[in-house]
């Protein structure tokens, strides 16, 4: 074999290509860049697959070195911490059966069957201490591959039903295991090199979780945790957790009259209260106005449809587990709407379309219904009935890139209004063909086009194999809120599948029929979830344009009520939402109540204001900000609303 045949080409994120001997490990590549990078490396991403640093590379490809500062690095770190949790449980609670232990967006969990033993939150410090003790052993994470038959024999001997269940779904061939210390787990990896990289651990909660998410199966104990490579990072995280408690949308949503939940109405079915309705309608009006400027046409579709609609789209049975059971009506079956898109496809198909009409952009604030397990419901952020800011764009292949760029521009504009930085993720398919519809040629084309658009726009993005929708790849927008938490919100999806399923066509310039391409797009995602994030992002201190009540007018005594009514009427005539407090209360009490209700502005009216025609203005969280002529203040207020200004940063 020639020397050249023994070399592989490794392409780095900056486009640099270097040759290495076949069999070079990720650690070797990192060390060739710098010893410091090798020390900090946790894993590598090679051709979009995350691998151990010790894995030998035998083919050419693209590489990223994953440190703590990358999402893939954190995922590797937290996955390894889940194994450390399992090892600690194995020592403290012999006989425990182990289900699954993945990394999640913030930390990790492990689902465990403790048998007759009850483990509660009070037991977590003991498990934490054992985890840290084991971490200090500097155990290596060692990968081993076995034939499936040997893996089955191993877990049959251990009498572990959960691992045997997992093995049933794996293809014959080599099955990977990882061992650290005295713990061995069925796992595809990857893992960090050694346990002592984990320097700080906090176990956060204990919850119940059905095996495979199936309520007919055994309920396991799920332990959630988070870990860090530095103790100071944990300290910062705990401070953030305390801040998050203050911002909890369930607490603030109740205090501010945003929404309510009632068991007689049904779990996961929120009712928007007057203040919440103003908030939601204001958000909708903001996006609706922007969409009109960008050529969208709004539609309204029913909350229920014939089951055959969802059979055609493939949502049934693909998502059968998250949908409500069909309803018998006469001789037909109907279903509560789980998705808006099939309805929009029927609108497109309602008449013959010409290429001259395209692109057609249909938008809807459409309410959908999906079954969520009761244990996963969470205020407004996880519900069973929610409204999506859905839009579907039907365009030609030549228009596709331009339309994707327009969708990205709209989504980035929306989040900039709320001062939310955005990270971009390209969610592509993985090798599990059962998860996806359509043919591979369309998928490859759609994924290539999304990547080309991202590159042409100069977006800084990551690629997430396996995160695609069943009908197409997508761009996911992950926003960061005021305290640094990340939330996946808006999406832009390219769809070559639904035009085939619904036989959608348009007549081209050649007078022949052609398939359109569909873009699915939703900046907010869910109005409920987005509102829950907004409440926490602003800690309830909404920008003036969004606040349910924008100005409180507070006369010092009944002598100034007539003037207060005059000013209130003037503000209302300009569309300002006003609370007029003419109660015979001390002004201090009125101010305190307005502060508690987080009303952005308070106008104080007394003798001086009566004589001068001025108003004394207080700003929520800031106190007195000065005296203004009423017309001057009105102009300032209207400009702040018109320009969607964000409130000044304060210690909230």
């Amino acid at each position: 074999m020639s020397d050249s045949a023994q070399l592989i080409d490794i392409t780095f994120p900056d486009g640099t290509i270097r040759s290495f001997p076949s069999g070079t490990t990720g650690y070797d590549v990192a060390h060739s860049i710098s010893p410091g990078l090798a020390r900090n490396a946790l894993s590598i991403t090679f051709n979009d697959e995350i691998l151990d640093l010790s894995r030998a590379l035998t083919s050419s490809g693209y590489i990223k070195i994953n440190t703590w500062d990358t999402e893939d690095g954190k995922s590797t770190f937290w996955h390894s911490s889940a194994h450390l949790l399992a090892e600690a449980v194995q020592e403290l609670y012999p006989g425990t059966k182990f289900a699954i232990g993945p990394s999640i967006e913030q930390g990790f969990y492990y689902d465990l069957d403790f048998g007759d033993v009850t483990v509660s939150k009070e037991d977590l410090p003991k498990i934490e201490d054992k985890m840290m003790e084991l971490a200090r052993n500097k155990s290596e994470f060692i990968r081993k591959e076995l034939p499936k038959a040997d893996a089955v024999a191993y877990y049959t001997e251990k009498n572990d039903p959960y691992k045997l269940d997992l093995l049933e779904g794996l293809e014959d061939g080599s099955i990977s295991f990882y061992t650290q210390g005295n713990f061995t787990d069925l796992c595809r990896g990857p893992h960090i090199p050694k346990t002592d990289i984990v320097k700080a651990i906090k176990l956060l909660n204990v919850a119940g979780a059905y095996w495979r998410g199936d309520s007919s199966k055994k309920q396991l104990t799920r332990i959630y945790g988070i870990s860090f490579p530095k103790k100071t990072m944990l300290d910062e995280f705990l401070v953030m957790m305390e801040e998050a408690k203050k911002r909890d949308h369930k607490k603030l949503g109740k205090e501010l009259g945003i929404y309510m939940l009632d068991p007689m109405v049904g779990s996961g079915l929120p009712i928007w209260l007057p203040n919440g309705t103003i908030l939601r309608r204001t958000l909708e009006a903001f996006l609706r106005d922007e969409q009109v400027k960008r050529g969208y046409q709004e539609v309204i579709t029913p909350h229920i449809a014939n089951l055959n609609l969802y059979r055609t789209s493939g949502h049934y049975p693909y998502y059968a587990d998250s949908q409500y059971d069909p309803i018998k009506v006469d001789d037909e079956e109907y279903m509560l709407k789980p998705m808006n898109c099939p309805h929009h496809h029927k609108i497109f198909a309602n008449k013959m379309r010409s290429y001259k009409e395209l692109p057609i952009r249909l938008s809807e604030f459409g309410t959908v219904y999906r079954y969520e397990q009761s244990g996963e419901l969470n205020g407004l952020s996880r519900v069973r009935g929610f409204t999506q800011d859905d839009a579907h764009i039907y365009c030609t292949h030549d228009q596709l890139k331009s339309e994707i760029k327009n969708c990205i521009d709209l989504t980035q504009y929306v989040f900039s209004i709320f001062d939310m930085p955005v990270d971009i993720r390209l969610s592509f398919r993985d090798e599990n063909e059962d998860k996806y519809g359509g043919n591979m040629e369309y998928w490859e084309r759609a994924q290539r086009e999304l990547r080309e658009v991202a590159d042409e726009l100069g977006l800084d993005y990551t690629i997430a194999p396996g995160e695609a929708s069943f009908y197409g790849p997508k761009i996911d927008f992950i926003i960061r809120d005021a305290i640094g938490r990340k939330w996946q919100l808006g999406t832009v999806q390219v769809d070559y599948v639904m035009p085939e399923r619904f036989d959608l066509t348009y007549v081209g310039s050649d007078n022949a029929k052609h398939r359109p391409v569909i873009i699915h797009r939703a900046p907010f995602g869910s109005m409920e979830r987005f509102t829950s994030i907004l409440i926490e992002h602003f800690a309830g201190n909404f920008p003036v344009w969004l606040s349910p009540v924008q100005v409180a007018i507070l006369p010092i005594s009944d002598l100034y009520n007539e003037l207060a009514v005059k000013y209130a009427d003037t503000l209302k005539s300009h569309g300002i939402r006003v609370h007029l407090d003419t109660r015979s209360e001390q002004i201090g009490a009125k101010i305190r109540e307005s502060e508690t209700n987080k009303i952005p502005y308070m106008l104080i009216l007394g003798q001086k204001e009566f004589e001068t025609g001025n108003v004394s203005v207080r700003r929520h969280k800031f106190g007195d900000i000065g005296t203004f002529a009423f017309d001057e203040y009105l102009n300032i207020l209207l400009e702040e609303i018109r320009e969607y200004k964000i409130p000044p940063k304060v210690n909230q």
Side-chain angles (χ1 to χ4, degrees), residues 442-459:
Y442 289 151
W443 272 89
E444 289 177 350
R445 176 173 181 168
Q447 292 184 170
R448 182 179 69 252
E449 287 164 335
L450 278 184
R451 199 166 192 165
E452 287 173 356
V453 166
D455 290 337
E456 289 170 13
L457 292 175
L459 300 179

Side-chain angles (χ1 to χ4, degrees), residues 129-410:
D129 291 343
K130 177 58 70 173
M131 289 177 69
M132 286 307 307
E133 176 190 324
L134 295 170
R136 288 189 286 268
N137 288 342
K138 302 182 180 181
S139 301
E140 292 185 19
F141 284 87
I142 301 170
R143 180 186 176 92
K144 181 180 180 180
E145 294 189 355
L146 291 175
K148 183 173 180 178
D150 291 352
V152 170
Y154 175 77
Y155 280 114
T156 300
E157 183 180 344
K158 290 178 71 70
N159 190 29
D160 192 322
Y162 308 107
K163 301 300 183 185
L164 289 170
D165 192 3
L166 291 172
L167 282 167
E168 279 186 20
L170 299 179
E171 295 181 3
D172 288 335
S174 294
I175 305 295
S176 58
F177 287 76
Y178 279 83
T179 298
Q180 94 275 358
N182 294 317
F183 180 72
T184 297
D185 204 357
L186 172 70
C187 181
R188 68 179 180 182
H191 287 286
I192 59 179
K194 291 185 177 181
T195 58
D196 65 325
I197 298 173
V198 180
K199 302 294 187 186
I201 298 166
K202 181 67 178 177
L203 298 183
L204 302 168
N205 198 15
V206 176
Y210 293 109
W211 173 236
R212 300 280 201 181
D214 186 342
S215 59
S216 67
K217 295 181 179 178
K218 184 166 185 178
Q219 189 174 57
L220 307 176
T221 300
R222 176 172 293 180
I223 298 180
Y224 288 95
I226 196 164
S227 56
F228 298 91
K230 294 180 182 178
K231 174 67 165 58
T232 54
M233 291 179 176
L234 174 59
D235 295 339
E236 291 167 2
F237 172 79
L238 294 176
V239 169
M240 186 273 286
M241 288 284 287
E242 286 303 310
E243 181 63 27
K245 287 180 183 177
K246 298 176 192 173
R247 295 167 177 260
D248 184 0
H249 81 274
K250 296 187 292 298
K251 171 177 173 289
L252 290 175
K254 181 177 181 180
E255 293 173 357
L256 299 177
I258 304 295
Y259 76 102
M260 62 173 279
L261 292 163
D262 189 289
M264 288 189 71
V265 174
S267 299
L269 299 172
I271 295 173
W272 294 83
L273 299 174
N275 281 351
T277 301
I278 292 171
L279 176 62
R280 173 170 157 174
R281 294 299 187 216
T282 303
L283 285 170
E284 290 177 356
F286 158 70
L287 184 56
R288 183 177 284 115
D289 290 347
E290 193 60 35
Q291 289 177 159
V292 168
K293 295 175 190 174
R294 295 171 185 251
Y296 286 82
Q297 303 173 74
E298 190 166 7
V299 297
I300 299 173
T301 61
H303 291 238
I304 188 172
N306 193 296
L307 186 60
N308 286 328
L309 179 68
Y310 306 115
R311 287 195 177 108
T312 300
S313 70
H315 291 108
Y316 189 88
Y318 273 96
Y319 295 128
D321 290 344
S322 63
Q323 295 169 359
Y324 284 95
D325 290 339
I327 306 163
K328 277 280 189 182
V329 180
D330 298 328
D331 295 327
E332 297 180 307
E333 288 183 298
Y334 286 74
M335 178 181 282
L336 285 171
K337 179 171 64 173
M339 296 278 187
N340 297 305
C341 40
H343 299 253
H344 292 191
H345 304 334
K346 296 303 291 183
I347 292 173
F348 180 89
N350 184 50
K351 66 175 185 175
M352 183 62 69
R353 304 287 182 174
S354 165
Y355 73 97
K356 295 179 181 179
E357 297 178 72
L358 305 187
I360 292 173
R361 307 178 186 99
L362 302 179
S363 67
E364 177 179 17
F365 291 97
T367 302
V368 298
Y369 301 89
R370 299 182 196 164
Y371 175 72
E372 298 281 356
Q373 294 191 39
S374 57
E376 304 207 351
L377 297 175
N378 183 25
L380 282 180
S381 64
R382 198 73 178 266
V383 294
R384 289 174 172 165
F386 56 95
T387 301
Q388 294 178 306
D389 59 324
D390 251 341
H392 297 90
I393 300 165
Y394 302 84
C395 62
T396 68
H397 293 277
D398 291 341
Q399 295 167 336
L400 179 62
K401 280 190 177 182
S402 174
E403 289 302 310
I404 294 172
K405 289 176 181 177
N406 290 340
C407 290
I408 292 171
D409 180 70
L410 171 61

Side-chain angles (χ1 to χ4, degrees), residues 8 47 134 156 185 224 267 415 428 436 443 465 476 501 549 628 649:
I8 57 174
N47 291 338
L134 295 170
T156 300
D185 204 357
Y224 288 95
S267 299
F415 292 134
F428 289 173
Y436 310 106
W443 272 89
D476 289 322
R501 286 179 174 268
V549 178
F628 301 82
K649 299 289 184 185

